[in-house]
PDB file of all heavy atoms in Angstrom:
ATOM      1  N   VAL A 573     -70.079  23.744 -48.952  1.00 64.00           N
ATOM      2  CA  VAL A 573     -71.405  23.796 -49.408  1.00 64.00           C
ATOM      3  C   VAL A 573     -72.115  24.947 -48.743  1.00 64.00           C
ATOM      4  O   VAL A 573     -72.320  25.004 -47.528  1.00 64.00           O
ATOM      5  CB  VAL A 573     -72.137  22.487 -49.083  1.00 64.00           C
ATOM      6  CG1 VAL A 573     -73.598  22.566 -49.612  1.00 64.00           C
ATOM      7  CG2 VAL A 573     -71.465  21.312 -49.767  1.00 64.00           C
ATOM      8  N   ARG A 574     -72.451  25.986 -49.548  1.00 57.00           N
ATOM      9  CA  ARG A 574     -73.030  27.171 -49.009  1.00 57.00           C
ATOM     10  C   ARG A 574     -74.562  27.078 -49.124  1.00 57.00           C
ATOM     11  O   ARG A 574     -75.057  26.619 -50.148  1.00 57.00           O
ATOM     12  CB  ARG A 574     -72.484  28.370 -49.662  1.00 57.00           C
ATOM     13  CG  ARG A 574     -70.964  28.591 -49.430  1.00 57.00           C
ATOM     14  CD  ARG A 574     -70.533  29.815 -50.303  1.00 57.00           C
ATOM     15  NE  ARG A 574     -69.105  29.761 -50.273  1.00 57.00           N
ATOM     16  CZ  ARG A 574     -68.371  30.716 -49.704  1.00 57.00           C
ATOM     17  NH1 ARG A 574     -68.946  31.706 -49.125  1.00 57.00           N
ATOM     18  NH2 ARG A 574     -67.044  30.662 -49.742  1.00 57.00           N
ATOM     19  N   ASN A 575     -75.294  27.578 -48.143  1.00 56.00           N
ATOM     20  CA  ASN A 575     -76.696  27.534 -48.147  1.00 56.00           C
ATOM     21  C   ASN A 575     -77.188  28.942 -48.443  1.00 56.00           C
ATOM     22  O   ASN A 575     -77.010  29.918 -47.661  1.00 56.00           O
ATOM     23  CB  ASN A 575     -77.222  27.088 -46.798  1.00 56.00           C
ATOM     24  CG  ASN A 575     -78.736  27.050 -46.706  1.00 56.00           C
ATOM     25  OD1 ASN A 575     -79.431  27.428 -47.659  1.00 56.00           O
ATOM     26  ND2 ASN A 575     -79.296  26.558 -45.616  1.00 56.00           N
ATOM     27  N   PRO A 576     -77.868  29.173 -49.654  1.00 57.00           N
ATOM     28  CA  PRO A 576     -78.205  30.492 -50.088  1.00 57.00           C
ATOM     29  C   PRO A 576     -79.419  31.020 -49.281  1.00 57.00           C
ATOM     30  O   PRO A 576     -79.599  32.214 -49.152  1.00 57.00           O
ATOM     31  CB  PRO A 576     -78.614  30.342 -51.474  1.00 57.00           C
ATOM     32  CG  PRO A 576     -78.936  28.896 -51.674  1.00 57.00           C
ATOM     33  CD  PRO A 576     -78.007  28.124 -50.713  1.00 57.00           C
ATOM     34  N   ALA A 577     -80.083  30.075 -48.642  1.00 53.00           N
ATOM     35  CA  ALA A 577     -81.334  30.481 -47.879  1.00 53.00           C
ATOM     36  C   ALA A 577     -80.964  31.242 -46.576  1.00 53.00           C
ATOM     37  O   ALA A 577     -81.609  32.287 -46.239  1.00 53.00           O
ATOM     38  CB  ALA A 577     -82.205  29.309 -47.550  1.00 53.00           C
ATOM     39  N   SER A 578     -80.078  30.755 -45.852  1.00 51.00           N
ATOM     40  CA  SER A 578     -79.614  31.348 -44.598  1.00 51.00           C
ATOM     41  C   SER A 578     -78.226  30.945 -44.250  1.00 51.00           C
ATOM     42  O   SER A 578     -77.909  29.697 -44.154  1.00 51.00           O
ATOM     43  CB  SER A 578     -80.612  30.923 -43.511  1.00 51.00           C
ATOM     44  OG  SER A 578     -80.210  31.374 -42.216  1.00 51.00           O
ATOM     45  N   ALA A 579     -77.369  31.891 -44.126  1.00 56.00           N
ATOM     46  CA  ALA A 579     -75.981  31.523 -43.878  1.00 56.00           C
ATOM     47  C   ALA A 579     -75.793  30.706 -42.608  1.00 56.00           C
ATOM     48  O   ALA A 579     -76.400  30.918 -41.582  1.00 56.00           O
ATOM     49  CB  ALA A 579     -75.070  32.828 -43.698  1.00 56.00           C
ATOM     50  N   PHE A 580     -75.074  29.560 -42.656  1.00 54.00           N
ATOM     51  CA  PHE A 580     -74.724  28.652 -41.725  1.00 54.00           C
ATOM     52  C   PHE A 580     -75.954  27.808 -41.092  1.00 54.00           C
ATOM     53  O   PHE A 580     -75.759  27.089 -40.146  1.00 54.00           O
ATOM     54  CB  PHE A 580     -74.011  29.408 -40.491  1.00 54.00           C
ATOM     55  CG  PHE A 580     -72.879  30.205 -40.909  1.00 54.00           C
ATOM     56  CD1 PHE A 580     -72.876  31.558 -40.823  1.00 54.00           C
ATOM     57  CD2 PHE A 580     -71.764  29.637 -41.604  1.00 54.00           C
ATOM     58  CE1 PHE A 580     -71.917  32.401 -41.221  1.00 54.00           C
ATOM     59  CE2 PHE A 580     -70.752  30.443 -42.027  1.00 54.00           C
ATOM     60  CZ  PHE A 580     -70.744  31.840 -41.850  1.00 54.00           C
ATOM     61  N   GLU A 581     -77.111  27.975 -41.628  1.00 59.00           N
ATOM     62  CA  GLU A 581     -78.258  27.323 -41.102  1.00 59.00           C
ATOM     63  C   GLU A 581     -78.136  25.779 -41.109  1.00 59.00           C
ATOM     64  O   GLU A 581     -78.486  25.095 -40.208  1.00 59.00           O
ATOM     65  CB  GLU A 581     -79.502  27.719 -41.843  1.00 59.00           C
ATOM     66  CG  GLU A 581     -80.803  26.970 -41.206  1.00 59.00           C
ATOM     67  CD  GLU A 581     -82.026  27.501 -41.968  1.00 59.00           C
ATOM     68  OE1 GLU A 581     -82.282  26.962 -43.082  1.00 59.00           O
ATOM     69  OE2 GLU A 581     -82.707  28.417 -41.451  1.00 59.00           O
ATOM     70  N   MET A 582     -77.603  25.265 -42.158  1.00 63.00           N
ATOM     71  CA  MET A 582     -77.521  23.843 -42.366  1.00 63.00           C
ATOM     72  C   MET A 582     -76.175  23.184 -41.689  1.00 63.00           C
ATOM     73  O   MET A 582     -75.989  22.035 -41.759  1.00 63.00           O
ATOM     74  CB  MET A 582     -77.519  23.418 -43.821  1.00 63.00           C
ATOM     75  CG  MET A 582     -76.400  23.959 -44.578  1.00 63.00           C
ATOM     76  SD  MET A 582     -76.625  23.585 -46.313  1.00 63.00           S
ATOM     77  CE  MET A 582     -75.190  22.590 -46.656  1.00 63.00           C
ATOM     78  N   TYR A 583     -75.358  23.983 -41.032  1.00 68.00           N
ATOM     79  CA  TYR A 583     -74.121  23.428 -40.514  1.00 68.00           C
ATOM     80  C   TYR A 583     -74.169  22.848 -39.140  1.00 68.00           C
ATOM     81  O   TYR A 583     -73.246  22.185 -38.647  1.00 68.00           O
ATOM     82  CB  TYR A 583     -73.036  24.480 -40.615  1.00 68.00           C
ATOM     83  CG  TYR A 583     -72.714  24.852 -42.028  1.00 68.00           C
ATOM     84  CD1 TYR A 583     -73.197  26.041 -42.613  1.00 68.00           C
ATOM     85  CD2 TYR A 583     -71.968  23.982 -42.811  1.00 68.00           C
ATOM     86  CE1 TYR A 583     -72.912  26.275 -44.005  1.00 68.00           C
ATOM     87  CE2 TYR A 583     -71.723  24.234 -44.110  1.00 68.00           C
ATOM     88  CZ  TYR A 583     -72.159  25.374 -44.676  1.00 68.00           C
ATOM     89  OH  TYR A 583     -72.017  25.711 -45.981  1.00 68.00           O
ATOM     90  N   GLY A 584     -75.163  22.991 -38.345  1.00 78.00           N
ATOM     91  CA  GLY A 584     -75.362  22.432 -37.055  1.00 78.00           C
ATOM     92  C   GLY A 584     -74.943  23.287 -35.829  1.00 78.00           C
ATOM     93  O   GLY A 584     -74.745  24.456 -36.038  1.00 78.00           O
ATOM     94  N   ARG A 585     -74.942  22.579 -34.762  1.00 84.00           N
ATOM     95  CA  ARG A 585     -74.791  23.289 -33.441  1.00 84.00           C
ATOM     96  C   ARG A 585     -73.487  23.885 -33.199  1.00 84.00           C
ATOM     97  O   ARG A 585     -73.341  25.006 -32.586  1.00 84.00           O
ATOM     98  CB  ARG A 585     -75.083  22.327 -32.279  1.00 84.00           C
ATOM     99  CG  ARG A 585     -76.481  21.802 -32.313  1.00 84.00           C
ATOM    100  CD  ARG A 585     -77.418  22.915 -31.820  1.00 84.00           C
ATOM    101  NE  ARG A 585     -78.730  22.320 -31.866  1.00 84.00           N
ATOM    102  CZ  ARG A 585     -79.826  23.174 -31.967  1.00 84.00           C
ATOM    103  NH1 ARG A 585     -79.716  24.403 -32.004  1.00 84.00           N
ATOM    104  NH2 ARG A 585     -81.009  22.617 -31.969  1.00 84.00           N
ATOM    105  N   LYS A 586     -72.375  23.357 -33.764  1.00 86.00           N
ATOM    106  CA  LYS A 586     -71.004  23.883 -33.520  1.00 86.00           C
ATOM    107  C   LYS A 586     -70.984  25.293 -34.169  1.00 86.00           C
ATOM    108  O   LYS A 586     -70.428  26.235 -33.628  1.00 86.00           O
ATOM    109  CB  LYS A 586     -69.982  23.053 -34.142  1.00 86.00           C
ATOM    110  CG  LYS A 586     -69.675  21.914 -33.271  1.00 86.00           C
ATOM    111  CD  LYS A 586     -68.470  21.090 -33.812  1.00 86.00           C
ATOM    112  CE  LYS A 586     -68.230  19.869 -32.928  1.00 86.00           C
ATOM    113  NZ  LYS A 586     -67.094  19.093 -33.465  1.00 86.00           N
ATOM    114  N   VAL A 587     -71.478  25.482 -35.452  1.00 86.00           N
ATOM    115  CA  VAL A 587     -71.426  26.717 -36.137  1.00 86.00           C
ATOM    116  C   VAL A 587     -72.352  27.665 -35.424  1.00 86.00           C
ATOM    117  O   VAL A 587     -72.073  28.861 -35.232  1.00 86.00           O
ATOM    118  CB  VAL A 587     -71.701  26.577 -37.628  1.00 86.00           C
ATOM    119  CG1 VAL A 587     -71.840  27.852 -38.352  1.00 86.00           C
ATOM    120  CG2 VAL A 587     -70.667  25.697 -38.348  1.00 86.00           C
ATOM    121  N   GLU A 588     -73.474  27.190 -35.090  1.00 87.00           N
ATOM    122  CA  GLU A 588     -74.462  28.043 -34.340  1.00 87.00           C
ATOM    123  C   GLU A 588     -73.826  28.595 -33.080  1.00 87.00           C
ATOM    124  O   GLU A 588     -73.936  29.825 -32.799  1.00 87.00           O
ATOM    125  CB  GLU A 588     -75.721  27.254 -33.960  1.00 87.00           C
ATOM    126  CG  GLU A 588     -76.747  28.121 -33.265  1.00 87.00           C
ATOM    127  CD  GLU A 588     -77.988  27.215 -32.886  1.00 87.00           C
ATOM    128  OE1 GLU A 588     -78.138  26.144 -33.483  1.00 87.00           O
ATOM    129  OE2 GLU A 588     -78.747  27.755 -32.120  1.00 87.00           O
ATOM    130  N   LYS A 589     -73.151  27.768 -32.319  1.00 90.00           N
ATOM    131  CA  LYS A 589     -72.559  28.243 -31.034  1.00 90.00           C
ATOM    132  C   LYS A 589     -71.426  29.252 -31.340  1.00 90.00           C
ATOM    133  O   LYS A 589     -71.194  30.198 -30.679  1.00 90.00           O
ATOM    134  CB  LYS A 589     -71.993  27.026 -30.290  1.00 90.00           C
ATOM    135  CG  LYS A 589     -71.442  27.380 -28.875  1.00 90.00           C
ATOM    136  CD  LYS A 589     -71.150  26.210 -28.089  1.00 90.00           C
ATOM    137  CE  LYS A 589     -70.593  26.659 -26.695  1.00 90.00           C
ATOM    138  NZ  LYS A 589     -70.279  25.567 -25.879  1.00 90.00           N
ATOM    139  N   ALA A 590     -70.624  28.899 -32.380  1.00 90.00           N
ATOM    140  CA  ALA A 590     -69.526  29.855 -32.814  1.00 90.00           C
ATOM    141  C   ALA A 590     -70.058  31.213 -33.231  1.00 90.00           C
ATOM    142  O   ALA A 590     -69.407  32.186 -32.755  1.00 90.00           O
ATOM    143  CB  ALA A 590     -68.621  29.184 -33.929  1.00 90.00           C
TER     144      ALA A 590
END
Side-chain angles (χ1 to χ4, degrees):
V573 178
R574 296 173 192 247
N575 183 350
S578 176
F580 309 115
E581 182 177 82
M582 65 185 237
Y583 292 104
R585 297 286 180 205
K586 284 185 183 180
V587 174
E588 182 181 345
K589 186 170 181 180

